[in-house]
Amino acid sequence: MRKPLMAGNWKMYKTPADTRAFFEKFLPLVAGSKHCDILICPPFVSIAAAVEAARGSAVAIGGQNLHYVTKDGAYTGEVSGPMLKAAGCASVIVGHSERRQYFGETDATVLQRTLAALESGLQPVVCVGERLEEREAGRTEDVLATQFKDGIAKLTPEQFAQIVIAYEPVWAIGTGKVATPKMAADAHRALRARIEQAYGKAAAAAARILYGGSAKPDNVKGLMAQPDIDGALVGGASLEASSFSLIVNF
Ligand code: 13P
């Protein structure tokens, strides 16, 4: 009943020209892929090229971040939700661990940005996940519970129904160390239990939770076999049309 979502986070990769070249190869490979939603999140400067290249296809385009102020203003270097929307974005990643680690993002600002995305008509893909030392200390479920409580659970039920959650264990991002399907499934189950507690059974059953962290063509099948995993948020393996199409068509 939950349609999978396969999302690519291109991070700080790909110029507009690279973006056009990617779509030329990628679109034919996923033209028949109706079993899932497909989203690609290029850097801001390549969004226009991606929107143009994906026009007429089922591939949606998203931002990787947005400012939490939705009105125009003097915020040098920032991009607003309404700007992303006007540029053709459908979604936006919020609270990625790289934003938390390098740019001071906290659960409180994640919530502000999520609200800004919703107000702008964008679907937020809200990222949570534990760091290695937290996992090793046996604190994974506590960390997820706190990130959920402070960053997500303050949304109204109507707002919550519009978001996607991405579970991205920080130690698995860009390291080649994928969480085992069981580790990922345990975390997704814990998150779904939080959702049920906060929003009820139906909301928990409807919520899409993606896995992110070294997802690759050769491990995606095992991850997607877990009933609580509803898709993937893919970094490195989304940069090549061939590998990302294999993930989409798991
Ligand atoms: P990798 O797939 O490169 O590990 O990155 C995952 C990620 O951070 C997606 O947002």
Side-chain angles (χ1 to χ4, degrees):
M1 91 208 108
R2 295 187 297 264
K3 192 173 189 188
L5 169 60
M6 295 311 208
N9 171 11
W10 282 358
K11 308 191 180 185
M12 202 168 72
Y13 292 89
K14 290 197 193 293
T15 63
D18 297 337
T19 299
R20 285 187 283 274
F22 173 92
F23 276 92
E24 209 163 296
K25 284 196 201 143
F26 181 64
L27 290 181
L29 298 172
V30 298
S33 310
K34 307 276 184 251
H35 61 284
C36 68
D37 293 331
I38 306 171
L39 171 68
I40 290 188
C41 301
F44 290 137
V45 294
S46 295
I47 285 174
V51 167
E52 186 56 38
R55 205 181 295 286
S57 78
V59 179
I61 305 303
Q64 298 176 11
N65 181 37
L66 79 168
H67 191 37
Y68 49 73
V69 171
T70 51
K71 287 198 174 57
D72 292 352
Y75 301 102
T76 302
E78 292 298 314
V79 170
S80 73
M83 287 172 174
L84 291 176
K85 183 74 180 175
C89 288
S91 303
V92 61
I93 298 169
V94 177
H96 190 278
S97 64
E98 287 151 16
R99 302 291 320 168
R100 294 177 189 254
Q101 183 179 353
Y102 304 124
F103 302 102
E105 199 83 57
T106 64
D107 291 332
T109 60
V110 168
L111 178 67
Q112 283 180 298
R113 286 181 216 277
T114 301
L115 290 167
L118 290 168
E119 193 185 318
S120 310
L122 297 164
Q123 172 178 65
V125 179
V126 184
C127 302
V128 296
E130 82 286 2
R131 288 174 294 147
L132 182 60
E133 60 271 28
E134 294 166 334
R135 173 163 286 269
E136 285 175 343
R139 296 187 47 233
T140 298
E141 291 199 9
D142 289 348
V143 169
L144 295 177
T146 301
Q147 290 175 337
F148 180 79
K149 176 168 74 64
D150 296 340
I152 297 175
K154 295 186 165 75
L155 299 174
T156 66
E158 293 71 29
Q159 289 167 334
F160 179 79
Q162 297 173 64
I163 78 166
V164 171
I165 296 176
Y167 167 61
E168 297 209 317
V170 179
W171 49 270
I173 294 177
T175 58
K177 280 189 221 159
V178 64
T180 62
K182 180 179 178 322
M183 280 171 160
D186 288 347
H188 283 229
R189 201 176 315 108
L191 278 166
R192 213 176 287 286
R194 294 290 135 246
I195 298 170
E196 181 168 337
Q197 206 172 42
Y199 295 105
K201 256 193 173 22
R208 287 196 288 188
I209 308 177
L210 315 183
Y211 169 81
S214 297
K216 307 281 180 222
D218 63 358
N219 58 33
V220 66
K221 224 181 154 84
L223 291 163
M224 290 304 292
Q226 305 300 314
D228 280 307
I229 300 185
D230 306 311
L233 181 54
V234 185
S238 72
L239 294 172
E240 291 295 333
S242 52
S243 59
F244 193 46
S245 69
L246 287 170
I247 290 177
V248 166
N249 297 323
F250 63 95

